[in-house]
Amino acid sequence: MPAFLSLLLLDSRLRPARIRLALLLYAGVLVAGSIPGARAEVGEFAPGVVLHGLTYAFLTLLWFLGSAGSGPVRGAKAVLAIALMGAGDELLQSFLPYRTGDIADWTIDVTAALLTSTTLALIVPPAEAARRH
């Protein structure tokens, strides 16, 4: 793996930055999803299952790489975080008159987190093995 990519993805010094980035992007999802008509416009390019799947898979990647511990521990942390984020997203939508909270969307979020975390737990070296650069 190229040194720069290894630094971005595996360096333990950047773990907190990855978690902060995930939270910042999640806030962006909440804001963008709260804009009247925005979801309908984006829906012209990709269906909800694709949007939810890719968005929450990427958030899972960031959370996994921002966590410490073994692969299964990091995966569990990421899945729990994404389950809470997805639930928060759907809860917020349930309060908006032009949106609805949907358990199916939350299920897609959690499924994306499970698939992403499982894959990462199998291919990413343990956090303790990632050397500082």
Side-chain angles (χ1 to χ4, degrees):
M1 178 181 299
F4 180 70
L5 191 57
S6 179
L7 171 71
L8 283 178
L9 298 178
L10 301 177
D11 193 302
S12 62
R13 295 172 292 184
L14 295 179
R15 267 193 238 133
R18 291 183 203 107
I19 297 291
R20 285 193 299 272
L21 179 59
L23 292 171
L24 180 66
L25 292 175
Y26 173 66
V29 166
L30 296 179
V31 169
S34 300
I35 299 170
R39 171 61 183 93
E41 288 181 24
V42 173
E44 293 179 23
F45 300 101
V49 67
V50 172
L51 293 173
H52 276 268
L54 292 176
T55 299
Y56 284 92
F58 186 69
L59 291 173
T60 302
L61 172 89
L62 290 172
W63 205 277
F64 184 97
L65 295 175
S67 298
S70 67
V73 168
R74 295 165 83 184
K77 290 176 185 179
V79 170
L80 179 60
I82 295 307
L84 293 172
M85 287 180 189
D89 185 11
E90 298 307 316
L91 180 64
L92 174 63
Q93 290 177 24
S94 72
F95 289 108
L96 301 173
Y98 45 88
R99 298 291 309 264
T100 57
D102 188 352
I103 191 76
D105 287 347
W106 179 80
T107 303
I108 294 165
D109 303 341
V110 174
T111 301
L114 286 166
L115 292 172
T116 304
S117 289
T118 300
T119 302
L120 290 171
L122 294 171
I123 65 172
V124 173
E128 293 74 28
R131 290 179 286 173
R132 294 180 147 200
H133 290 48

